[in-house]
Amino acid sequence: MCLGAALALCAIAGTAFGQATDDCASSPVVGDGTFTWDLTGATNSVAGSCGATATAEDVFLQYVPTFTGTARAVTCNLTGEDTVLAVYSDCVGTELACLDDFCGLQTQLDFAVTAGVPYFVRIASFAGGATGSGTIQIFDVNNPPPPPPPPANDDCAGSIGVGEGSFPFSNMNSTTDAGWICAGGANDVHFTYTPTVNGGVTISLCGSGYDTAMMLGTSCGGSDLGCLDDFCGLQTQMDVTASIGVPVHITIGGYFGAMGNGTMSITPLPPPPPNDSCATPDAVGEGSFFFDNSGATMDGFFSCGFNEAGDLHWQYTPTFTGNALIDTCGSALDTVLSVGTSCGSEDLGCNDQFCLNGSRLVVAVTNGVPVYVNVAGWNGGRGTGTLNIGMAPPPPANDNCGSPEPAADGNTYAFDTSSATLDGTGSCGASGTSPDV
């Protein structure tokens, strides 16, 4: 701790005491420079008047300027956290200035200073509850430091080559040079992944420290292999079918320009099951069939669900004429189900969610005439489940729009759509493929 006449010397040597502390009273004395902070495990010391930070976790630096004029505290481009900055004349909470957003979700705060007088700079997150980290710059507005350099792989031409494994990355101070088609992506960095395996590969940013977005392409900065924002919370994960030696270009950015640090992992998937391709479906009749799409690739199309992954295929040949009940109820995997009259079609229906994670369709079938069943994981999901195929119970009397059940005002009517077929096209909700009565 610096006292008395040593304050100015401590301020000049501030970078030696660069980690902001939870307790205002013991905060390190700093001068102009760049300093680190981390809200993990922090408590609340004083109440901020802006950014919903009255009870938010906070950390502090004791800034002692060597000049009289205007100082600036900045977290712009230095963190992915939604920051709020405030300045106090003491640790009792006499607030001199407070600001929430300035450069997106980060902050730039100017405040008047007198040489040799301490000012307590508070760093908190919007509304509290954060465990993020970053850096902060404090300096004389008339003598600003040079801007930090962008990452080496800021431009697509400087893309970093990787294989399978884990790779740290940062898009702090990066620019935007890719044509983002999702998530308002910006401030991107680039990698070129050259596979050493054939088959499915998962590229994951899960656990990274900011709201990520990712594009995959066959060309530098391209998106022809996909573009995605959220998967695991605010981070991103995508699957791609790899071929040994054929590059996949990975562009990592932030949701509407969010910036931060993270880790990218590239992991080969298990070998695909035999019914991974629509051209090689499992031939089945009525019954229950275990499945695992952990190593499956994606070759189908679904008009329902979201960001499907790892689809599997069955050719079901009915032993009766009537309505078949096809579902994945009870599956651990959150499924999307489609059924069609030809390989890869879904002209008999598509359903995302019916029974918790499971999907269900009732379709008209003819004895001996195959239909094609397609199951995938919702939002990139992978795991196990059971496909159930059997004869549907008789439909209710009011299954058909032409034979509705009479109803009167003031009465209560029970209904059950579990064996109903679809003959309407609802104009609201996701009713276009759901059973109706």
Side-chain angles (χ1 to χ4, degrees):
M1 186 72 179
C2 301
L3 300 172
L7 277 173
L9 292 177
C10 283
I12 295 171
T15 53
F17 305 87
Q19 174 70 45
T21 58
D22 182 32
D23 182 19
C24 178
S26 61
S27 54
V29 178
V30 300
D32 290 4
T34 301
F35 314 101
T36 60
W37 54 268
D38 189 342
L39 291 171
T40 304
T43 58
N44 174 257
S45 295
V46 298
S49 66
C50 67
T53 59
T55 60
E57 301 87 343
D58 47 29
V59 291
F60 292 83
L61 293 165
Q62 185 179 162
Y63 173 62
V64 181
T66 58
F67 64 95
T68 296
T70 302
R72 176 170 294 168
V74 181
T75 60
C76 300
N77 300 335
L78 298 173
T79 180
E81 188 66 52
D82 186 350
T83 56
V84 180
L85 296 180
V87 177
Y88 300 83
S89 62
D90 51 54
C91 288
V92 178
T94 306
E95 188 178 87
L96 303 177
C98 186
L99 187 66
D100 179 14
D101 297 336
F102 179 88
C103 40
L105 298 179
Q106 286 74 51
T107 318
Q108 175 178 299
L109 177 61
D110 291 353
F111 55 101
V113 298
T114 300
V117 176
Y119 298 87
F120 296 87
V121 179
R122 179 192 192 229
I123 306 159
S125 69
F126 177 80
T131 57
S133 62
T135 55
I136 182 173
Q137 287 184 325
I138 309 176
F139 54 87
D140 179 355
V141 295
N142 293 316
N143 187 28
N153 57 341
D154 179 38
D155 295 328
C156 202
S159 178
I160 295 175
V162 295
E164 293 80 30
S166 295
F167 309 93
F169 69 88
S170 175
N171 75 332
M172 302 299 298
N173 312 308
S174 61
T175 59
T176 305
D177 68 336
W180 285 88
I181 63 171
C182 69
N187 302 102
D188 44 48
V189 292
H190 302 269
F191 294 87
T192 300
Y193 163 52
T194 303
T196 62
V197 296
N198 289 320
V201 172
T202 296
I203 302 174
S204 178
L205 310 180
C206 296
S208 295
Y210 73 104
D211 191 344
T212 61
M214 180 166 61
M215 290 194 300
L216 304 180
T218 56
S219 61
C220 191
S223 60
D224 53 304
L225 297 180
C227 184
L228 188 65
D229 175 18
D230 297 338
F231 175 85
C232 38
L234 299 179
Q235 286 76 53
T236 318
Q237 179 173 299
M238 297 175 69
D239 293 337
V240 65
T241 302
S243 298
I244 294 175
V246 178
V248 175
H249 294 270
I250 303 169
T251 305
I252 300 173
Y255 177 75
F256 283 96
M259 286 189 262
N261 304 311
T263 300
M264 173 178 65
S265 62
I266 302 178
T267 310
L269 294 169
N275 62 336
D276 178 44
S277 169
C278 190
T280 58
D282 282 352
V284 296
E286 290 81 29
S288 294
F289 310 96
F290 173 83
F291 64 83
D292 184 345
N293 78 332
S294 297
T297 57
M298 191 73 192
D299 69 339
F301 165 80
F302 290 82
S303 62
C304 62
F306 171 73
N307 187 34
E308 297 82 9
D311 62 347
L312 301 172
H313 305 268
W314 291 264
Q315 183 188 65
Y316 161 51
T317 303
T319 62
F320 64 93
T321 296
N323 289 328
L325 179 61
I326 303 173
D327 70 49
T328 59
C329 295
S331 295
L333 175 68
D334 191 344
T335 61
V336 183
L337 167 71
S338 72
V339 180
T341 55
S342 61
C343 181
S345 76
E346 54 175 28
D347 52 304
L348 297 179
C350 183
N351 181 254
D352 173 14
Q353 197 165 26
F354 182 92
C355 38
L356 296 179
N357 286 337
S359 313
R360 173 184 274 186
L361 288 170
V362 177
V363 298
V365 297
T366 302
N367 187 6
V369 178
V371 297
Y372 293 83
V373 181
N374 193 3
V375 174
W378 182 84
N379 192 26
R382 294 186 177 275
T384 60
T386 302
L387 174 68
N388 305 297
I389 305 176
M391 183 181 294
N398 60 338
D399 178 43
N400 191 288
C401 190
S403 57
E405 180 179 341
D409 290 346
N411 292 340
T412 300
Y413 299 90
F415 64 88
D416 183 354
T417 64
S418 59
S419 61
T421 57
L422 174 70
D423 66 340
T425 54
S427 62
C428 64
S431 55
T433 59
S434 302
D436 56 9
V437 291

